[in-house]
Amino acid sequence: AAGAAGGARLPRALRADGPPPQALVDDTEDVSLDFGSEEELALRKARIRHPLATFFHLFFRVSAIVTYLSCDWFSNSFVACFVTILLLLSFDFWSVKNVTGRLLVGLRWWNQIDEDGKSHWMFEAKRVPTIAASTEAEARIFWLGLIICPVIWTMFFFSTLFSLKLKWLALVIAGISLQTANLYGYIHCKLGGQKTISRVTSRLFGTADVPKRQSRRISEDGTEEHGKTGTR
Amino acid sequence: FPGLADVSISQDIPVEGEITVPVGSHSPDEDYSTLDEPVKDTIMRDLKAVGKKFVHVMYPRKSSALLRDWDLWGPLVLCVSLALMLQGGSADSKDDGGPQFAEVFVIIWFGAVVITLNSKLLGGTISFFQSLCVLGYCVLPLTVAMLVCRLVLLAGVGTVSFIIRLIVVGAMFGWSTLASTAFLADSQPPNRKALVVYPIFLFYFVISWMILTFTPQ
């Protein structure tokens, strides 16, 4: 009884403004694992769960190709076209490698140099499907975009070579190498060249992320301001 | 319900949920929580890495930061800006500086690839992209020299301006070569250092020559 009385008093003391016991029930409901169930259902039903990532995956690649094809109409300046297409290709490479691969198909590849100076290429595939994992539509869009664009750039290479417009050759070669690098990396991930070393992963990403999460945990346990569980 | 204190419930569920999530192997999953935040984090992390490397080039100390996390963003930016500043300068630019722009690009990247292949054939321990990264970042002093030259050329094209440009380009050329040698020569066995240094010398010499002989129309 003393414990119950103490328990009844304790939450009110911790709450800032002392709301009625109704809020106590709400706090418990927030703490339960049913948080956001409607959003989760909507997420599960949606065919595209990462609309921004899907958009950007295709946007940079397609813009680069469209710009290359139509640069004679838009501007007379070779340099402006060259720089624009090059920047689009670089942004595409970065976003496909670092963001959309992670979000759309759960694959990631990167290069790592250890202390001996030897370089290792790491390929990683996510095994545990989460609620916000990718759908089939997204995966299809990802792979189609990944495969079709290098093919188009290879066609541009041959057309440039045979029409002897050699000043574009450097750009086309850059485009082919950037896009083929991503294609190769992701195919390697997919086909199981998985050298996932969790120790190394935790060293790379854990050292930056873990203190943040640990401090969040500590604050959650200590202050009870958000009674919610972690991210999912 | 009064018996169920807030404290006990919120202690149980978060602690269980978070203890069972292993941080190491599932750390990519943690990034899936929001779409915007991790992308911003990724961008900021990469930008900071690029900025740190620029600082390292200006003050070359023997540090492995440049060598460990290589990236080619800095070289791309430097190459594009150098090529932009160099175009429209030579005698026969009947186009809008088209061939010269692509020429500078090809010279820089192809030259860097050749130097890297050379150092790897000589038995160096540095990896391909690391070497490209270092060579690209060490073009920074020469880009600064190009900027200064263009400013000096705005003032006049005479002997004095030529001497000023010569001094500036020479100093920056020396800085570039020393900076890249400081990073790259260590990866070679001692009797091969000169064999590795002289292509780097040639590479920056060619770029410096392009900068020095630039005369606007």
Short mmCIF file of all heavy atoms in Angstrom, two decimals, chain A residues 28 31 52 76-79 82-83 86 90 94 99 102-103 106 108 111 113 117 124 126 128 202 210 213 217 220 224 229 231-232, chain B residues 7 9-10 13 18 23-24 26 28-33 35 39 42-43 46 68 70 73 76 84 87 96 98 101 105 125 129-130:
data_model
loop_
_atom_site.label_atom_id
_atom_site.label_comp_id
_atom_site.label_asym_id
_atom_site.label_seq_id
_atom_site.Cartn_x
_atom_site.Cartn_y
_atom_site.Cartn_z
N THR A 28 0.94 6.25 -20.54
CA THR A 28 1.16 4.81 -20.69
C THR A 28 0.88 4.38 -22.11
O THR A 28 1.55 3.53 -22.67
CB THR A 28 0.24 4.00 -19.76
OG1 THR A 28 -0.56 4.91 -19.04
CG2 THR A 28 1.06 3.18 -18.80
N VAL A 31 3.76 5.01 -24.20
CA VAL A 31 4.88 4.11 -23.96
C VAL A 31 4.67 2.78 -24.65
O VAL A 31 5.62 2.13 -25.05
CB VAL A 31 5.05 3.90 -22.44
CG1 VAL A 31 5.98 2.76 -22.16
CG2 VAL A 31 5.58 5.17 -21.82
N LEU A 52 11.14 10.36 -52.04
CA LEU A 52 12.23 11.29 -52.34
C LEU A 52 13.45 10.55 -52.88
O LEU A 52 14.08 10.98 -53.85
CB LEU A 52 12.64 12.03 -51.07
CG LEU A 52 12.12 13.45 -50.91
CD1 LEU A 52 12.76 14.08 -49.70
CD2 LEU A 52 12.41 14.27 -52.14
N ASN A 76 25.04 27.60 -76.37
CA ASN A 76 26.15 27.42 -77.29
C ASN A 76 27.42 27.04 -76.59
O ASN A 76 28.41 26.73 -77.24
CB ASN A 76 26.40 28.73 -78.06
CG ASN A 76 25.32 28.95 -79.08
OD1 ASN A 76 24.75 28.01 -79.59
ND2 ASN A 76 25.03 30.22 -79.35
N SER A 77 27.42 27.13 -75.30
CA SER A 77 28.68 27.01 -74.59
C SER A 77 28.96 25.55 -74.25
O SER A 77 28.22 24.92 -73.51
CB SER A 77 28.61 27.84 -73.32
OG SER A 77 29.56 27.42 -72.41
N PHE A 78 30.03 25.05 -74.82
CA PHE A 78 30.45 23.67 -74.54
C PHE A 78 30.80 23.51 -73.07
O PHE A 78 30.48 22.51 -72.43
CB PHE A 78 31.66 23.34 -75.42
CG PHE A 78 32.39 22.11 -74.99
CD1 PHE A 78 31.92 20.86 -75.31
CD2 PHE A 78 33.58 22.20 -74.26
CE1 PHE A 78 32.59 19.72 -74.92
CE2 PHE A 78 34.25 21.07 -73.88
CZ PHE A 78 33.76 19.82 -74.20
N VAL A 79 31.46 24.55 -72.55
CA VAL A 79 31.95 24.45 -71.17
C VAL A 79 30.81 24.33 -70.19
O VAL A 79 30.84 23.50 -69.27
CB VAL A 79 32.82 25.67 -70.85
CG1 VAL A 79 33.20 25.67 -69.39
CG2 VAL A 79 34.06 25.67 -71.70
N PHE A 82 29.38 20.88 -70.39
CA PHE A 82 30.32 19.91 -69.83
C PHE A 82 30.26 19.93 -68.31
O PHE A 82 30.12 18.89 -67.66
CB PHE A 82 31.72 20.28 -70.31
CG PHE A 82 32.77 19.25 -70.03
CD1 PHE A 82 33.22 18.42 -71.04
CD2 PHE A 82 33.35 19.13 -68.79
CE1 PHE A 82 34.20 17.48 -70.82
CE2 PHE A 82 34.33 18.18 -68.54
CZ PHE A 82 34.75 17.36 -69.56
N VAL A 83 30.35 21.14 -67.75
CA VAL A 83 30.38 21.24 -66.30
C VAL A 83 29.06 20.79 -65.70
O VAL A 83 29.02 20.08 -64.69
CB VAL A 83 30.73 22.69 -65.88
CG1 VAL A 83 30.58 22.85 -64.39
CG2 VAL A 83 32.13 23.02 -66.29
N LEU A 86 28.82 17.04 -65.91
CA LEU A 86 29.76 16.42 -64.98
C LEU A 86 29.26 16.52 -63.55
O LEU A 86 29.35 15.55 -62.77
CB LEU A 86 31.11 17.11 -65.12
CG LEU A 86 32.27 16.40 -64.45
CD1 LEU A 86 32.50 15.08 -65.12
CD2 LEU A 86 33.50 17.26 -64.54
N SER A 90 28.29 13.48 -61.06
CA SER A 90 28.91 13.29 -59.75
C SER A 90 27.87 13.20 -58.66
O SER A 90 27.96 12.36 -57.76
CB SER A 90 29.86 14.45 -59.44
OG SER A 90 30.66 14.73 -60.52
N TRP A 94 27.23 9.99 -56.17
CA TRP A 94 27.23 10.08 -54.73
C TRP A 94 25.90 9.66 -54.15
O TRP A 94 25.84 8.90 -53.16
CB TRP A 94 27.56 11.52 -54.30
CG TRP A 94 27.66 11.67 -52.82
CD1 TRP A 94 28.75 11.48 -52.04
CD2 TRP A 94 26.59 12.02 -51.94
NE1 TRP A 94 28.44 11.69 -50.73
CE2 TRP A 94 27.11 12.04 -50.64
CE3 TRP A 94 25.25 12.33 -52.13
CZ2 TRP A 94 26.35 12.33 -49.51
CZ3 TRP A 94 24.48 12.63 -51.01
CH2 TRP A 94 25.03 12.63 -49.73
N VAL A 99 23.04 6.98 -50.67
CA VAL A 99 21.70 7.16 -50.13
C VAL A 99 20.69 6.18 -50.72
O VAL A 99 20.10 5.40 -50.00
CB VAL A 99 21.23 8.61 -50.36
CG1 VAL A 99 19.81 8.78 -49.88
CG2 VAL A 99 22.14 9.57 -49.66
N ARG A 102 21.09 2.37 -50.08
CA ARG A 102 20.75 2.04 -48.72
C ARG A 102 19.25 1.96 -48.54
O ARG A 102 18.71 1.04 -47.95
CB ARG A 102 21.25 3.14 -47.79
CG ARG A 102 22.46 2.84 -47.02
CD ARG A 102 22.62 3.80 -45.88
NE ARG A 102 22.69 5.19 -46.24
CZ ARG A 102 22.20 6.16 -45.47
NH1 ARG A 102 21.62 5.86 -44.35
NH2 ARG A 102 22.31 7.41 -45.83
N LEU A 103 18.56 3.00 -49.07
CA LEU A 103 17.14 3.12 -48.75
C LEU A 103 16.27 2.26 -49.64
O LEU A 103 15.26 1.75 -49.20
CB LEU A 103 16.71 4.58 -48.90
CG LEU A 103 17.32 5.51 -47.87
CD1 LEU A 103 16.95 6.93 -48.19
CD2 LEU A 103 16.82 5.17 -46.50
N GLY A 106 18.56 -1.66 -49.67
CA GLY A 106 19.25 -2.16 -48.50
C GLY A 106 20.64 -2.69 -48.77
O GLY A 106 21.12 -3.58 -48.07
N ARG A 108 24.83 -1.77 -49.57
CA ARG A 108 25.80 -0.69 -49.49
C ARG A 108 27.18 -1.22 -49.81
O ARG A 108 27.51 -2.35 -49.42
CB ARG A 108 25.77 -0.09 -48.09
CG ARG A 108 26.64 1.11 -48.04
CD ARG A 108 26.83 1.77 -46.75
NE ARG A 108 26.11 1.42 -45.60
CZ ARG A 108 26.01 2.23 -44.55
NH1 ARG A 108 26.54 3.41 -44.63
NH2 ARG A 108 25.37 1.87 -43.48
N ASN A 111 34.74 1.59 -49.77
CA ASN A 111 36.13 1.23 -49.78
C ASN A 111 36.74 1.66 -48.48
O ASN A 111 36.40 2.70 -47.94
CB ASN A 111 36.84 1.91 -50.95
CG ASN A 111 38.33 1.66 -50.94
OD1 ASN A 111 39.08 2.44 -50.39
ND2 ASN A 111 38.76 0.57 -51.52
N ILE A 113 40.46 1.68 -46.13
CA ILE A 113 41.90 1.46 -46.09
C ILE A 113 42.26 1.16 -44.65
O ILE A 113 41.95 1.92 -43.76
CB ILE A 113 42.64 2.73 -46.53
CG1 ILE A 113 41.99 3.32 -47.76
CG2 ILE A 113 44.09 2.43 -46.74
CD1 ILE A 113 42.67 3.06 -49.02
N GLY A 117 47.65 0.23 -45.11
CA GLY A 117 47.56 0.88 -46.40
C GLY A 117 46.92 0.02 -47.46
O GLY A 117 46.86 0.41 -48.62
N GLU A 124 27.89 -4.89 -48.46
CA GLU A 124 27.01 -5.22 -47.35
C GLU A 124 25.57 -5.26 -47.81
O GLU A 124 25.14 -4.40 -48.59
CB GLU A 124 27.17 -4.18 -46.27
CG GLU A 124 26.40 -4.47 -45.04
CD GLU A 124 26.68 -3.41 -44.00
OE1 GLU A 124 27.26 -2.38 -44.35
OE2 GLU A 124 26.29 -3.63 -42.85
N LYS A 126 21.54 -5.77 -46.31
CA LYS A 126 20.73 -5.81 -45.10
C LYS A 126 19.94 -7.09 -45.08
O LYS A 126 19.31 -7.46 -46.07
CB LYS A 126 19.78 -4.61 -45.12
CG LYS A 126 19.11 -4.36 -43.83
CD LYS A 126 18.38 -3.05 -43.87
CE LYS A 126 17.28 -3.08 -44.90
NZ LYS A 126 16.08 -2.41 -44.43
N VAL A 128 17.82 -8.13 -42.23
CA VAL A 128 16.57 -8.09 -41.46
C VAL A 128 15.61 -7.11 -42.11
O VAL A 128 15.91 -5.93 -42.18
CB VAL A 128 16.86 -7.65 -40.01
CG1 VAL A 128 15.58 -7.55 -39.24
CG2 VAL A 128 17.82 -8.63 -39.37
N SER A 202 31.14 -1.38 -37.04
CA SER A 202 30.89 -0.61 -35.83
C SER A 202 31.99 0.40 -35.62
O SER A 202 31.75 1.48 -35.10
CB SER A 202 30.78 -1.53 -34.64
OG SER A 202 32.02 -2.17 -34.40
N VAL A 210 27.16 5.74 -32.06
CA VAL A 210 26.82 5.12 -30.78
C VAL A 210 26.75 6.12 -29.64
O VAL A 210 25.80 6.11 -28.89
CB VAL A 210 27.82 4.00 -30.45
CG1 VAL A 210 27.77 3.64 -28.99
CG2 VAL A 210 27.49 2.77 -31.28
N ARG A 213 23.44 7.72 -29.69
CA ARG A 213 22.29 6.91 -29.27
C ARG A 213 22.36 6.58 -27.80
O ARG A 213 21.36 6.51 -27.13
CB ARG A 213 22.24 5.62 -30.09
CG ARG A 213 21.45 5.81 -31.35
CD ARG A 213 21.16 4.48 -31.94
NE ARG A 213 22.36 3.85 -32.45
CZ ARG A 213 22.96 4.22 -33.57
NH1 ARG A 213 22.45 5.18 -34.28
NH2 ARG A 213 24.05 3.65 -33.97
N ARG A 217 19.60 7.21 -25.02
CA ARG A 217 19.05 6.20 -24.13
C ARG A 217 19.13 6.67 -22.69
O ARG A 217 18.20 6.52 -21.94
CB ARG A 217 19.83 4.90 -24.25
CG ARG A 217 19.26 3.99 -25.29
CD ARG A 217 20.14 2.80 -25.44
NE ARG A 217 20.41 2.59 -26.86
CZ ARG A 217 21.50 2.04 -27.32
NH1 ARG A 217 22.44 1.65 -26.52
NH2 ARG A 217 21.65 1.87 -28.60
N GLU A 220 16.56 9.06 -22.01
CA GLU A 220 15.21 8.48 -21.95
C GLU A 220 14.98 7.80 -20.62
O GLU A 220 13.93 7.89 -20.04
CB GLU A 220 15.01 7.49 -23.08
CG GLU A 220 14.71 8.18 -24.39
CD GLU A 220 14.52 7.17 -25.51
OE1 GLU A 220 13.99 6.10 -25.20
OE2 GLU A 220 14.90 7.48 -26.63
N GLU A 224 12.60 10.57 -18.51
CA GLU A 224 11.25 10.10 -18.84
C GLU A 224 10.42 11.17 -19.51
O GLU A 224 9.22 11.22 -19.38
CB GLU A 224 10.52 9.64 -17.60
CG GLU A 224 11.23 8.52 -16.88
CD GLU A 224 10.63 8.30 -15.54
OE1 GLU A 224 9.48 7.86 -15.50
OE2 GLU A 224 11.27 8.63 -14.54
N THR A 229 9.54 4.31 -27.07
CA THR A 229 10.65 3.40 -27.27
C THR A 229 11.56 4.01 -28.33
O THR A 229 11.39 5.15 -28.74
CB THR A 229 10.17 2.03 -27.76
OG1 THR A 229 9.33 2.27 -28.90
CG2 THR A 229 9.35 1.36 -26.70
N THR A 231 13.49 3.99 -32.14
CA THR A 231 13.01 4.59 -33.37
C THR A 231 11.83 3.82 -33.96
O THR A 231 11.03 4.40 -34.64
CB THR A 231 14.13 4.60 -34.41
OG1 THR A 231 14.60 3.27 -34.57
CG2 THR A 231 15.26 5.46 -33.90
N ARG A 232 11.77 2.52 -33.75
CA ARG A 232 10.65 1.80 -34.35
C ARG A 232 9.82 1.10 -33.27
O ARG A 232 10.38 0.45 -32.45
CB ARG A 232 11.15 0.74 -35.32
CG ARG A 232 11.68 1.37 -36.59
CD ARG A 232 12.09 0.32 -37.54
NE ARG A 232 13.34 -0.27 -37.12
CZ ARG A 232 14.52 0.26 -37.35
NH1 ARG A 232 14.60 1.39 -37.98
NH2 ARG A 232 15.61 -0.30 -36.97
N VAL B 7 7.46 5.02 -13.79
CA VAL B 7 8.89 4.68 -13.76
C VAL B 7 9.10 3.24 -14.17
O VAL B 7 9.93 2.95 -15.02
CB VAL B 7 9.42 4.92 -12.34
CG1 VAL B 7 10.88 4.58 -12.28
CG2 VAL B 7 9.20 6.37 -11.95
N ILE B 9 7.22 1.14 -15.90
CA ILE B 9 6.89 0.82 -17.29
C ILE B 9 7.93 1.38 -18.23
O ILE B 9 8.49 0.68 -19.07
CB ILE B 9 5.51 1.37 -17.66
CG1 ILE B 9 4.43 0.57 -16.93
CG2 ILE B 9 5.29 1.27 -19.16
CD1 ILE B 9 3.05 1.08 -17.17
N SER B 10 8.26 2.65 -18.08
CA SER B 10 9.18 3.20 -19.06
C SER B 10 10.58 2.69 -18.86
O SER B 10 11.40 2.75 -19.75
CB SER B 10 9.16 4.73 -19.00
OG SER B 10 9.44 5.12 -17.68
N ILE B 13 10.28 -1.16 -20.90
CA ILE B 13 10.18 -1.31 -22.36
C ILE B 13 11.37 -0.71 -23.10
O ILE B 13 11.96 -1.38 -23.92
CB ILE B 13 8.85 -0.72 -22.85
CG1 ILE B 13 7.72 -1.59 -22.30
CG2 ILE B 13 8.82 -0.74 -24.38
CD1 ILE B 13 6.36 -1.10 -22.66
N GLU B 18 16.05 -1.56 -26.42
CA GLU B 18 17.33 -1.07 -26.89
C GLU B 18 18.46 -2.02 -26.59
O GLU B 18 19.44 -2.05 -27.32
CB GLU B 18 17.60 0.30 -26.30
CG GLU B 18 16.80 1.34 -27.05
CD GLU B 18 16.55 2.55 -26.22
OE1 GLU B 18 16.94 2.53 -25.03
OE2 GLU B 18 16.00 3.51 -26.73
N VAL B 23 24.21 -2.88 -31.77
CA VAL B 23 24.61 -1.65 -32.45
C VAL B 23 25.50 -1.94 -33.65
O VAL B 23 25.36 -1.37 -34.70
CB VAL B 23 25.36 -0.74 -31.46
CG1 VAL B 23 25.94 0.45 -32.18
CG2 VAL B 23 24.39 -0.28 -30.39
N GLY B 24 26.39 -2.91 -33.46
CA GLY B 24 27.41 -3.10 -34.48
C GLY B 24 26.87 -3.49 -35.83
O GLY B 24 26.95 -2.75 -36.79
N HIS B 26 23.89 -3.87 -36.98
CA HIS B 26 22.68 -3.26 -37.53
C HIS B 26 22.77 -1.76 -37.54
O HIS B 26 21.76 -1.10 -37.62
CB HIS B 26 21.46 -3.68 -36.71
CG HIS B 26 21.07 -5.09 -37.01
ND1 HIS B 26 20.46 -5.47 -38.17
CD2 HIS B 26 21.24 -6.22 -36.30
CE1 HIS B 26 20.27 -6.77 -38.15
NE2 HIS B 26 20.72 -7.26 -37.03
N PRO B 28 23.55 0.18 -39.91
CA PRO B 28 22.86 0.79 -41.05
C PRO B 28 21.37 0.90 -40.82
O PRO B 28 20.73 1.80 -41.33
CB PRO B 28 23.14 -0.17 -42.20
CG PRO B 28 24.35 -0.90 -41.80
CD PRO B 28 24.31 -0.99 -40.30
N ASP B 29 20.78 -0.02 -40.05
CA ASP B 29 19.34 0.08 -39.81
C ASP B 29 19.00 1.31 -39.02
O ASP B 29 17.94 1.88 -39.18
CB ASP B 29 18.86 -1.14 -39.01
CG ASP B 29 18.89 -2.39 -39.87
OD1 ASP B 29 19.04 -2.23 -41.09
OD2 ASP B 29 18.77 -3.48 -39.32
N GLU B 30 19.88 1.70 -38.14
CA GLU B 30 19.57 2.86 -37.32
C GLU B 30 19.42 4.09 -38.20
O GLU B 30 18.74 5.03 -37.85
CB GLU B 30 20.69 3.09 -36.30
CG GLU B 30 20.94 1.90 -35.39
CD GLU B 30 19.85 1.74 -34.34
OE1 GLU B 30 19.11 2.69 -34.11
OE2 GLU B 30 19.77 0.66 -33.76
N ASP B 31 20.09 4.10 -39.35
CA ASP B 31 19.96 5.26 -40.20
C ASP B 31 18.63 5.31 -40.90
O ASP B 31 18.32 6.30 -41.53
CB ASP B 31 21.06 5.24 -41.28
CG ASP B 31 22.44 5.34 -40.65
OD1 ASP B 31 22.53 5.97 -39.59
OD2 ASP B 31 23.38 4.80 -41.22
N TYR B 32 17.87 4.24 -40.84
CA TYR B 32 16.62 4.23 -41.58
C TYR B 32 15.51 4.96 -40.85
O TYR B 32 14.39 4.98 -41.29
CB TYR B 32 16.15 2.79 -41.81
CG TYR B 32 16.95 2.08 -42.87
CD1 TYR B 32 18.24 1.68 -42.63
CD2 TYR B 32 16.40 1.82 -44.11
CE1 TYR B 32 18.96 1.03 -43.59
CE2 TYR B 32 17.13 1.17 -45.09
CZ TYR B 32 18.40 0.78 -44.81
OH TYR B 32 19.12 0.14 -45.77
N SER B 33 15.79 5.52 -39.70
CA SER B 33 14.70 6.05 -38.89
C SER B 33 14.04 7.22 -39.59
O SER B 33 12.83 7.29 -39.65
CB SER B 33 15.21 6.46 -37.54
OG SER B 33 16.25 7.39 -37.70
N LEU B 35 14.18 9.92 -43.17
CA LEU B 35 14.79 10.02 -44.49
C LEU B 35 15.73 11.21 -44.55
O LEU B 35 16.80 11.13 -45.12
CB LEU B 35 13.69 10.18 -45.54
CG LEU B 35 14.20 10.30 -46.97
CD1 LEU B 35 15.03 9.12 -47.33
CD2 LEU B 35 13.03 10.42 -47.90
N VAL B 39 20.62 11.65 -44.44
CA VAL B 39 21.21 12.19 -45.65
C VAL B 39 21.98 13.45 -45.33
O VAL B 39 23.10 13.68 -45.79
CB VAL B 39 20.13 12.46 -46.71
CG1 VAL B 39 20.74 13.11 -47.92
CG2 VAL B 39 19.45 11.17 -47.09
N THR B 42 25.12 12.49 -43.71
CA THR B 42 26.10 11.99 -44.67
C THR B 42 26.74 13.13 -45.42
O THR B 42 27.96 13.17 -45.60
CB THR B 42 25.40 11.07 -45.69
OG1 THR B 42 24.44 10.26 -45.01
CG2 THR B 42 26.40 10.17 -46.37
N ILE B 43 25.91 14.08 -45.86
CA ILE B 43 26.45 15.22 -46.62
C ILE B 43 27.43 16.00 -45.76
O ILE B 43 28.53 16.34 -46.20
CB ILE B 43 25.32 16.12 -47.12
CG1 ILE B 43 24.44 15.38 -48.11
CG2 ILE B 43 25.87 17.36 -47.76
CD1 ILE B 43 23.30 16.21 -48.62
N ASP B 46 30.71 14.18 -45.29
CA ASP B 46 31.58 14.24 -46.47
C ASP B 46 32.15 15.63 -46.69
O ASP B 46 33.32 15.79 -47.04
CB ASP B 46 30.80 13.79 -47.71
CG ASP B 46 30.64 12.29 -47.76
OD1 ASP B 46 31.34 11.61 -46.98
OD2 ASP B 46 29.85 11.78 -48.57
N ARG B 68 43.93 8.01 -45.47
CA ARG B 68 43.01 6.97 -45.04
C ARG B 68 41.65 7.09 -45.71
O ARG B 68 41.19 6.18 -46.36
CB ARG B 68 42.85 7.05 -43.52
CG ARG B 68 42.24 5.81 -42.96
CD ARG B 68 43.19 4.62 -43.08
NE ARG B 68 44.34 4.75 -42.22
CZ ARG B 68 44.33 4.54 -40.92
NH1 ARG B 68 43.21 4.22 -40.33
NH2 ARG B 68 45.42 4.67 -40.21
N TRP B 70 40.00 8.50 -48.51
CA TRP B 70 40.17 9.25 -49.75
C TRP B 70 38.81 9.63 -50.29
O TRP B 70 37.81 8.95 -50.07
CB TRP B 70 40.94 8.43 -50.77
CG TRP B 70 40.29 7.13 -51.08
CD1 TRP B 70 40.51 5.93 -50.48
CD2 TRP B 70 39.29 6.89 -52.07
NE1 TRP B 70 39.73 4.97 -51.05
CE2 TRP B 70 38.97 5.52 -52.02
CE3 TRP B 70 38.64 7.69 -53.01
CZ2 TRP B 70 38.05 4.94 -52.86
CZ3 TRP B 70 37.71 7.11 -53.85
CH2 TRP B 70 37.43 5.75 -53.77
N TRP B 73 36.15 14.33 -54.44
CA TRP B 73 35.37 15.55 -54.63
C TRP B 73 36.27 16.77 -54.78
O TRP B 73 36.06 17.61 -55.64
CB TRP B 73 34.43 15.79 -53.45
CG TRP B 73 33.26 14.91 -53.47
CD1 TRP B 73 33.01 13.84 -52.67
CD2 TRP B 73 32.15 14.99 -54.36
NE1 TRP B 73 31.83 13.27 -52.99
CE2 TRP B 73 31.27 13.96 -54.03
CE3 TRP B 73 31.81 15.85 -55.41
CZ2 TRP B 73 30.08 13.74 -54.70
CZ3 TRP B 73 30.62 15.65 -56.08
CH2 TRP B 73 29.78 14.60 -55.71
N LEU B 76 37.91 16.97 -58.09
CA LEU B 76 36.95 17.34 -59.14
C LEU B 76 36.71 18.84 -59.14
O LEU B 76 36.77 19.49 -60.20
CB LEU B 76 35.63 16.61 -58.90
CG LEU B 76 34.53 16.95 -59.90
CD1 LEU B 76 34.84 16.34 -61.23
CD2 LEU B 76 33.19 16.46 -59.40
N LEU B 84 38.20 25.96 -65.87
CA LEU B 84 37.39 27.12 -66.21
C LEU B 84 38.24 28.37 -66.31
O LEU B 84 38.05 29.20 -67.20
CB LEU B 84 36.32 27.33 -65.14
CG LEU B 84 35.05 26.49 -65.28
CD1 LEU B 84 34.16 26.75 -64.09
CD2 LEU B 84 34.33 26.82 -66.55
N GLN B 87 40.48 28.49 -69.60
CA GLN B 87 39.97 28.42 -70.94
C GLN B 87 39.77 29.82 -71.50
O GLN B 87 39.60 30.78 -70.78
CB GLN B 87 38.68 27.63 -70.97
CG GLN B 87 37.62 28.22 -70.08
CD GLN B 87 36.45 28.66 -70.86
OE1 GLN B 87 36.39 28.42 -72.05
NE2 GLN B 87 35.53 29.32 -70.23
N ASP B 96 34.34 28.10 -78.36
CA ASP B 96 34.27 28.85 -77.11
C ASP B 96 35.14 28.20 -76.08
O ASP B 96 34.70 27.89 -74.98
CB ASP B 96 32.81 28.89 -76.63
CG ASP B 96 32.21 27.49 -76.68
OD1 ASP B 96 32.84 26.61 -77.27
OD2 ASP B 96 31.12 27.30 -76.14
N GLY B 98 36.28 25.28 -76.12
CA GLY B 98 35.89 23.91 -75.90
C GLY B 98 37.05 22.96 -75.74
O GLY B 98 37.20 22.32 -74.72
N PHE B 101 39.25 23.34 -72.57
CA PHE B 101 38.67 22.91 -71.31
C PHE B 101 38.84 21.41 -71.15
O PHE B 101 39.33 20.92 -70.14
CB PHE B 101 37.19 23.29 -71.28
CG PHE B 101 36.52 22.99 -70.00
CD1 PHE B 101 36.52 23.92 -68.99
CD2 PHE B 101 35.90 21.77 -69.79
CE1 PHE B 101 35.91 23.65 -67.79
CE2 PHE B 101 35.28 21.50 -68.58
CZ PHE B 101 35.29 22.44 -67.59
N PHE B 105 41.26 19.10 -68.48
CA PHE B 105 40.67 18.00 -67.75
C PHE B 105 41.43 16.71 -67.98
O PHE B 105 41.82 16.01 -67.05
CB PHE B 105 39.24 17.82 -68.26
CG PHE B 105 38.29 17.66 -67.17
CD1 PHE B 105 37.81 18.77 -66.52
CD2 PHE B 105 37.89 16.42 -66.77
CE1 PHE B 105 36.93 18.64 -65.49
CE2 PHE B 105 37.01 16.28 -65.73
CZ PHE B 105 36.52 17.39 -65.09
N THR B 125 53.07 1.02 -51.83
CA THR B 125 52.03 0.39 -51.02
C THR B 125 50.75 1.21 -50.97
O THR B 125 49.82 0.85 -50.28
CB THR B 125 52.51 0.21 -49.57
OG1 THR B 125 52.82 1.50 -49.07
CG2 THR B 125 53.71 -0.67 -49.51
N PHE B 129 43.25 4.78 -55.61
CA PHE B 129 42.42 5.96 -55.38
C PHE B 129 43.03 6.90 -54.37
O PHE B 129 42.82 8.11 -54.43
CB PHE B 129 41.03 5.54 -54.96
CG PHE B 129 40.23 4.98 -56.08
CD1 PHE B 129 39.96 3.62 -56.15
CD2 PHE B 129 39.76 5.80 -57.09
CE1 PHE B 129 39.25 3.12 -57.20
CE2 PHE B 129 39.05 5.28 -58.14
CZ PHE B 129 38.79 3.93 -58.20
N GLN B 130 43.78 6.35 -53.43
CA GLN B 130 44.46 7.22 -52.47
C GLN B 130 45.43 8.14 -53.19
O GLN B 130 45.52 9.33 -52.91
CB GLN B 130 45.26 6.38 -51.49
CG GLN B 130 44.50 5.91 -50.30
CD GLN B 130 45.36 5.07 -49.42
OE1 GLN B 130 46.32 4.47 -49.89
NE2 GLN B 130 45.02 5.01 -48.17
#
